[in-house]
Amino acid sequence: MADDLGDEWWKTQPAGAASSPEASDGEGGGDPAMMQQERAPVPALSKKTEQPKECFLIQPKETNEDATKTRRRKKKKITDVLAKSEPKPGTPEDLQKLMKDYYSSNRSVIELEELTLPDSCFLKANDLTHSLSSYLKEICPKWVKLRKNHCEKKSVLMLIICGSAIRALELIRSLTAFRGDSKVVKLFAKHIKVQEQIKLLEKRVVHLGVGTPGRIKELIKQGGLNLNPLKFLVFDWNWRDQKLRRMMDIPEIRKEVFEILEMGVLSLCKSESLKLGLF
């Protein structure tokens, strides 16, 4: 009978109840209220709607590399400076100052004085209203007579120095109204070998030469171009390229121009047989 009662009691107990009948009467089985609490189903956690949090954008710290890049970006370029400045015509003082600044670090005071050119050797500078032909007509009104009397080979009467071969071609095209029957020679390196130019100068009389300082310097150095008959040396001074640089703003060209001046131009200017023009 006891066994039957035990079986009936076991069948009526819910899952998770004590494993013996003694556990129900409190003897050694713990508090019934606690057991009922343990048997109660645990309610599922309700999903609470999360409140939106404030979002703050934190700026990344500037590294040394970023600071260097910023400083580099802020550095003024010659193009920016020239873009904000109004075009001003070149003057003889500009050339004199450039020469003094260029040679001041490696020449004595006496040597610097020897580089100074007399004002009388400078022609009237272009006031930015002239075309090349009108400017040359103004500074050289007796050009026709001069070219008729010129018969020396390996030389020119007038030399125009510019910054590039493309610019030289533009200047040659703009010479039409001035040149007349004058013979013009291209004195730049693009597509023309220096030996070809030397042979051309030896073969015939040329009145006008238009070119770049690098090639002109090389021709003088190799004896292909004699400066003694030269009467006019004109610098393409005021023209600016796509970066708004003038010819003398480019260090390599400036260096070559000054080398040409020291290869005989300065002495000819001081003897007043050669005139300088700034177009």
Side-chain angles (χ1 to χ4, degrees):
M1 183 71 181
D3 291 341
D4 294 338
L5 288 173
D7 292 339
E8 290 296 327
W9 178 87
W10 179 261
K11 291 177 182 178
T12 58
Q13 296 306 309
S19 58
S20 64
E22 289 81 0
S24 62
D25 57 8
E27 293 181 6
D31 189 359
M34 290 293 295
M35 292 177 63
Q36 185 177 4
Q37 210 172 30
E38 288 177 2
R39 289 195 299 268
V42 179
L45 294 175
S46 61
K47 294 183 180 180
K48 296 181 179 180
T49 305
E50 295 184 0
Q51 296 296 324
K53 297 180 180 179
E54 292 187 49
C55 180
F56 297 96
L57 295 176
I58 301 175
Q59 297 292 335
K61 292 184 179 179
E62 185 177 323
T63 62
N64 292 335
E65 185 178 355
D66 295 334
T68 304
K69 289 181 179 179
T70 304
R71 284 195 296 270
R72 286 176 183 172
R73 284 196 297 269
K74 291 180 180 179
K75 186 178 179 181
K76 288 186 178 180
K77 297 181 180 179
I78 188 171
T79 305
D80 301 329
V81 175
L82 292 173
K84 294 179 181 179
S85 62
E86 294 183 3
K88 294 181 180 180
T91 62
E93 290 75 19
D94 294 336
L95 178 58
Q96 299 274 35
K97 185 178 184 303
L98 283 176
M99 288 182 65
K100 185 177 180 180
D101 293 343
Y102 181 80
Y103 289 110
S104 60
S105 61
N106 55 11
R107 299 288 176 95
S108 65
V109 177
I110 297 175
E111 289 173 328
L112 289 175
E113 289 179 357
E114 292 177 353
L115 296 173
T116 304
L117 293 169
D119 294 337
S120 59
C121 77
F122 286 97
L123 297 162
K124 183 180 179 181
N126 180 21
D127 59 0
L128 303 182
T129 62
H130 283 285
S131 65
L132 181 57
S133 286
S134 66
Y135 176 69
L136 296 180
K137 284 180 180 179
E138 182 175 336
I139 65 173
C140 183
K142 298 181 180 180
W143 173 251
V144 176
K145 183 179 178 180
L146 278 173
R147 68 176 177 81
K148 284 182 178 180
N149 295 331
H150 178 63
C151 57
E152 294 186 45
K153 296 178 181 179
K154 298 174 62 174
S155 66
V156 293
L157 283 174
M158 181 180 289
L159 190 58
I160 301 173
I161 299 180
C162 58
S164 69
I166 295 175
R167 177 60 178 165
L169 293 174
E170 292 176 358
L171 292 175
I172 290 171
R173 286 193 293 268
S174 65
L175 279 171
T176 305
F178 172 78
R179 59 184 283 189
D181 297 330
S182 305
K183 302 296 182 184
V184 181
V185 62
K186 303 170 185 175
L187 302 178
F188 48 78
K190 194 170 185 178
H191 308 309
I192 308 174
K193 295 180 180 179
V194 66
Q195 294 302 323
E196 293 177 2
Q197 290 168 335
I198 291 175
K199 289 178 181 178
L200 179 62
L201 291 166
E202 289 175 345
K203 187 183 296 184
R204 63 178 186 176
V205 175
V206 180
H207 306 100
L208 267 162
V210 184
T212 54
R215 177 50 59 90
I216 292 170
K217 183 187 74 173
E218 190 62 28
L219 288 167
I220 298 170
K221 186 178 178 181
Q222 295 192 26
L225 181 62
N226 179 18
L227 293 179
N228 289 328
L230 188 63
K231 298 301 179 186
F232 300 95
L233 177 59
V234 178
F235 294 108
D236 185 30
W237 191 273
N238 297 303
W239 182 80
R240 298 181 185 273
D241 62 11
Q242 291 181 344
K243 296 181 179 180
L244 300 179
R245 300 173 301 178
R246 298 172 301 177
M247 176 180 72
M248 298 299 280
D249 291 326
I250 303 171
E252 297 82 4
I253 294 178
R254 184 168 62 242
K255 176 177 179 293
E256 290 170 339
V257 167
F258 291 147
E259 289 175 353
I260 291 173
L261 294 180
E262 288 199 280
M263 294 173 79
V265 172
L266 292 177
S267 59
L268 291 172
C269 288
K270 290 178 181 180
S271 68
E272 297 188 356
S273 64
L274 174 62
K275 302 291 184 180
L276 298 179
L278 305 179
F279 171 65

